[in-house]
Amino acid sequence: MAERRKRDLLHSAVFAVRLAWLADRRALVHVIVVQVLSAMVMAGALVMTQQVFGAVLARGPAAAGRSPVLVPAVIAALVVGAAVGALRLSGTARMAVLTVKVDRLVAGMVLEAAVAAELPRFEEPDFHDRLQRAVFASRRQPALAVILLVTAFQAALTVLAVGGAFVLMAWWLLPLVLLSAVPAIRAAGNERSAHHDMHHGLSENRRLREYLERLLTGRDEAKEIRALDLGGVLTGRWQEQYAHEVRATEALMKTHARHRMVAQATGGVVICVLVGSLWWLATSDLLPLSTAGAAVAGVWLLSVRLNTFAGMLGGIGENLLRLTDLETFIAPTSATARVPRQRRELTYSQLPCEPVALRAERLTFTYPGAEVPAVHEVSLDLRPGQVVALVGVNGSGKTTLAHLLAGLYPPDGGHLLCDGAPVTDLTAHRERTAVVFQDFTRYKLPALDNIAFGRPHTTDDLERVQEAARQAGALDFLKELPDSLHTPLGKEFTGGADLSGGQWQRLALARAFYRDAPLVILDEPTAALDAHAEDQLFAHLRRLFTGRTVVLISHRLRSVRHADRIYVLETGRVVEQGSHETLLRTGGAYATLFRAQARAYQNTGTS
C-alpha cells in the first residue's frame, strides 16, 4: 500500500507539472530558473561567508575593520541580495499568472469530461462521487499543487546547494542534519495518507451537504421552503452532516498533532547536539572558528529548510493524491480537453434535416443498480410524416423509451435502425433529433439564447429564432419583455424578467422548432399549458412538423387521439398498439384509461 501511494505521489507530481506546462510553459520555465539561481546564490553566499570569516580572523580582531576583504564582500552581498530579490519578485508575478491559467485549464478539463459522459453514468452514485472529488480537486488544487511543488523544489535545491557547501567545510555534518528531518517527514507522510482516506470517505457526505445548500439558497426552491417551514429542518440536517466531517477532522488532527510534535522535538534535539558539537570542536581548536561559524549558519539554514519541507510534505502529498481523483475523472477526454472546443459555425443547409424512418427492434434497457428492466424488448416503427404516441401510466417506461429513441441511452439489448441502418454513432443520431423534455431546463440567459441553443453550433439566426418563437406561440410575450429577445430570463440578473410555467414550456417548444430536426420527440410538451392552448398546439402539430417523424408522450389521452399510431406501455413492455379507434374497439388497457379520463372531464364540466 505504501509503495502504491509513493507511485501515486510521483505520478501526480508529474501530472501537476504537465498541467503547468500546458497552461503556460514560458511562465513555468521562468519560475524554475528563478528557483535555481536563488539556490545557487545561497550556496555561494555560504561559501563566501566562510572564506571572509577566515580572511578576517586571520588578520586578528583588531585589524578586522581595516580588512580589504570585508567591505567589498558586504557590498557584493548587498548587490547580489538586491538582484535576487528582484528576480524573486518577477518569479512571484509569473507564478500568480501561472496559477490562474492552471485553474482555467483544469476547470475546463473537468467540464469537458462531465459533458462527454453518457447519460446513464449520471444514474450511478459512484460517478457522482468521482465527479464531486474531481470538482473539489479542480478548485485551486492543481494551482496549489504547482505552488507547493515549486516551493518544495526550491527547498530541495537549497538543501543540495547548502549540502554542497557542507562537503567543502565539514562533510560529516550533512548526513546528521538530514537525519534530524526524518521523523518530521515520516509523520507528515502518515498524516497525508490519513487526510486522503478521510477525503474519500466523505464524498457522499459532501454531495448531500451541497444539495442541502442548493435547497436552502436556491431562488426556485425558496417559496416552498418557506411555505412548508422547512428552513430549520434542512439547516439541522446540514449541521448533522457537517458534524461528521468535524468529528473526523478532530480525531485525525488530535492523533497526528502529537506525532508531529514528537517528531519536531526529536529533530530539534539532533540540531542542538550538532550545534553543541561544533562549539566544542571550535573551542578545542579541532575545527577552525571560521568553518565552525559558517557551519552553524549552514546548520540553521538547512534545518529551517528541511522543517519547511517536512511541514509542506503533508499538504503536498494530500494535494497530489487529490490530483489522482482529477486525472482519473478526466482521463477519457484529457487529450481533447487541453484546448477549449471551438464553436463550429454551420449553415442550415449543412444540418441533418432529411426525413428519417426509425425502427426499434426488441430494445431493452436497465438502469444501473436496478434489477428489473425499465424497457423490455420493445419494437416499434416511426415513419416520416407520422405522429406516433407513447402512452401508459407513470413508471410504464415511456420516458426511458423516448431517451433510447433519442440516442441518450445506449440500449442493453436490441437495435435502433435509422433508414434501415443500425445506429452506432449516438452523437450523430442526436444531431438529427429534437427533444422537448417534461423536465426541460430553464436557462437563465437571454431569451434569444434559450431558443438558439436548439442549434448551438450554428451562427445565431435572428429571423429563424423569431419564426421558431412564433410557431411555439412565444413571440408575442417575448417582444413585450424589457429588452425583447435579449432580456435575461431571471430576476437574479440586471434587467432580468420572469416567465410563467406555460411561457417557459413554449420557449422549450421554440427550441425544438429552431433545431429543425427530422426526428422530434415531445415528452409531455403541454403539461404547463391550459386546455385551450394544448388543444391548439395538438391541432396544428402535424402542420408544424410537416415531414418530420414525431414521437409524442402524454398522460392526457385526448391529446393523442389523432396520432397515426399509439403504443401502450405497461412495466416497460408494449401491450397494445394501433389507432385511437382501433384501440377503443379492442377494449383493452387504452380504452379503460381513455374512458376513465373522459368521465373525469365530464364530471368536472371540462370539454
Side-chain angles (χ1 to χ4, degrees):
M1 186 69 173
E3 289 299 320
R4 181 183 175 185
R5 283 279 168 85
K6 290 178 182 177
R7 288 196 302 271
D8 288 344
L9 282 173
L10 180 60
H11 183 78
S12 295
V14 173
F15 178 60
V17 173
R18 185 164 65 90
L19 290 175
W21 180 261
L22 290 171
D24 190 342
R25 62 190 64 183
R26 293 179 64 183
L28 179 63
V29 170
H30 182 97
V31 169
I32 290 174
V33 168
V34 168
Q35 303 305 325
V36 171
L37 292 176
S38 298
M40 291 173 61
V41 168
M42 191 173 295
L46 191 61
V47 172
M48 187 179 71
T49 299
Q50 187 264 340
Q51 292 176 347
V52 171
F53 278 0
V56 170
L57 294 175
R59 297 175 61 87
R66 297 190 300 274
S67 172
V69 178
L70 183 59
V71 174
V74 171
I75 293 174
L78 291 174
V79 171
V80 172
V84 170
L87 195 63
R88 285 180 176 172
L89 285 175
S90 70
T92 301
R94 294 302 292 269
M95 191 70 201
V97 175
L98 178 61
T99 54
V100 174
K101 289 185 175 180
V102 170
D103 279 341
R104 179 185 66 177
L105 174 72
V106 173
M109 285 181 168
V110 173
L111 294 176
E112 288 279 353
V115 170
E118 291 295 338
L119 193 58
R121 303 300 307 279
F122 287 85
E123 306 289 342
E124 303 170 2
D126 178 66
F127 172 81
H128 287 281
D129 284 343
R130 294 192 296 106
L131 174 59
Q132 191 272 340
R133 291 197 294 266
V135 170
F136 185 84
S138 70
R139 292 172 179 166
R140 299 292 297 175
Q141 298 296 317
L144 181 59
V146 173
I147 293 172
L148 291 173
L149 283 172
V150 168
T151 308
F153 178 66
Q154 182 188 30
L157 286 176
T158 303
V159 170
L160 290 174
V162 176
F166 269 132
V167 170
L168 298 177
M169 295 183 298
W171 64 266
W172 50 271
L173 285 172
L174 183 59
L176 295 175
V177 176
L178 295 176
L179 184 64
S180 69
V182 170
I185 292 174
R186 290 187 61 183
N190 293 334
E191 184 176 353
R192 172 205 67 217
S193 299
H195 266 288
H196 186 256
D197 292 340
M198 183 185 75
H199 171 69
H200 266 243
L202 289 170
S203 294
E204 187 159 346
N205 175 283
R206 287 170 175 163
R207 281 199 295 115
L208 178 56
R209 282 180 1 226
E210 289 171 0
Y211 173 68
L212 292 172
E213 288 168 6
R214 288 198 299 272
L215 288 178
L216 289 164
T217 60
R219 179 172 177 266
D220 294 336
E221 297 84 357
K223 56 183 180 296
E224 187 161 327
I225 297 297
R226 282 150 183 78
L228 298 175
D229 195 21
L230 283 172
V233 174
L234 296 178
T235 303
R237 292 192 180 184
W238 181 85
Q239 292 283 7
E240 289 173 7
Q241 293 299 320
Y242 223 132
H244 291 306
E245 181 165 352
V246 171
R247 286 194 295 269
T249 303
E250 285 178 340
L252 186 148
M253 297 308 298
K254 184 177 180 180
T255 299
H256 290 280
R258 289 198 302 267
H259 295 169
R260 287 203 313 272
M261 286 188 288
V262 171
Q264 190 171 1
T266 303
V269 169
V270 173
I271 294 299
C272 288
V273 170
L274 283 177
V275 173
S277 299
L278 288 169
W279 178 258
W280 178 78
L281 290 171
T283 56
S284 302
D285 294 329
L286 297 175
L287 189 69
L289 185 59
S290 61
T291 301
V296 168
V299 166
W300 174 79
L301 183 61
L302 198 56
S303 65
V304 168
R305 287 294 182 180
L306 286 172
N307 283 327
T308 301
F309 180 77
M312 291 171 48
L313 187 61
I316 293 174
E318 183 183 356
N319 188 276
L320 290 177
L321 286 176
R322 286 179 182 174
L323 289 188
T324 61
D325 299 325
L326 175 64
E327 186 177 19
T328 300
F329 184 77
I330 68 174
T333 57
S334 60
T336 58
R338 293 175 183 175
V339 180
R341 204 183 288 174
Q342 297 296 316
R343 183 183 172 100
R344 292 179 294 144
E345 299 291 352
L346 303 177
T347 63
Y348 271 83
S349 62
Q350 297 172 287
L351 297 178
C353 294
E354 290 298 321
V356 295
L358 200 65
R359 174 168 176 76
E361 293 184 347
R362 303 173 67 86
L363 289 183
T364 298
F365 180 80
T366 305
Y367 285 100
E371 297 181 358
V372 179
V375 170
H376 187 68
E377 296 191 346
V378 169
S379 298
L380 66 161
D381 282 303
L382 308 172
R383 298 177 184 176
Q386 283 191 340
V387 176
V388 175
L390 306 178
V391 302
V393 298
N394 289 336
S396 59
K398 306 184 300 297
T399 296
T400 303
L401 178 57
H403 288 169
L404 290 169
L405 296 176
L408 296 172
Y409 292 158
D412 297 329
H415 302 282
L416 193 63
L417 305 175
C418 184
D419 291 334
V423 174
T424 56
D425 186 346
L426 294 182
T427 302
H429 180 64
R430 290 195 289 265
E431 282 285 326
R432 53 178 174 256
T433 306
V435 187
V436 177
F437 297 102
Q438 182 177 1
D439 53 348
F440 58 86
T441 301
R442 304 181 181 195
Y443 299 99
K444 295 186 177 181
L445 297 169
L448 176 67
D449 287 338
N450 268 271
I451 298 175
F453 279 177
R455 280 291 177 191
H457 302 308
T458 62
T459 53
D460 293 344
D461 187 327
L462 182 58
E463 290 186 5
R464 280 187 172 272
V465 168
Q466 291 175 334
E467 176 60 20
R470 187 193 62 76
Q471 289 177 306
L475 187 58
D476 290 341
F477 70 77
L478 289 178
K479 283 185 174 180
E480 293 176 359
L481 295 176
D483 195 16
S484 188
L485 275 78
H486 299 284
T487 304
L489 301 182
K491 285 288 190 180
E492 300 96 321
F493 302 101
T494 303
D498 274 335
L499 298 181
S500 68
Q503 288 173 329
W504 272 113
Q505 193 148 44
R506 289 186 181 277
L507 211 57
L509 283 167
R511 197 153 53 237
F513 285 120
Y514 187 82
R515 189 164 181 81
D516 199 20
L519 174 62
V520 181
I521 299 175
L522 306 173
D523 187 355
E524 298 289 351
T526 60
L529 300 181
D530 58 52
H532 177 69
E534 179 186 32
D535 288 341
Q536 260 194 327
L537 176 66
F538 283 120
H540 299 294
L541 188 65
R542 198 181 301 274
R543 177 181 59 81
L544 292 172
F545 290 109
T546 301
R548 267 72 172 166
T549 304
V550 180
V551 178
L552 173 63
I553 302 173
S554 180
H555 285 92
R556 301 172 183 173
L557 298 189
R558 68 182 188 136
S559 303
V560 304
R561 62 186 184 274
H562 299 301
D564 296 291
R565 196 162 193 82
I566 300 170
Y567 290 86
V568 184
L569 281 82
E570 285 185 4
T571 62
R573 301 172 184 268
V574 173
V575 294
E576 292 178 354
Q577 58 175 296
S579 66
H580 172 73
E581 292 77 12
T582 301
L583 292 174
L584 283 182
R585 286 196 301 270
T586 302
Y590 177 84
T592 302
L593 285 172
F594 184 84
R595 286 166 183 150
Q597 288 189 11
R599 283 195 299 272
Y601 279 115
Q602 291 168 355
N603 292 337
T604 58
T606 304
S607 59

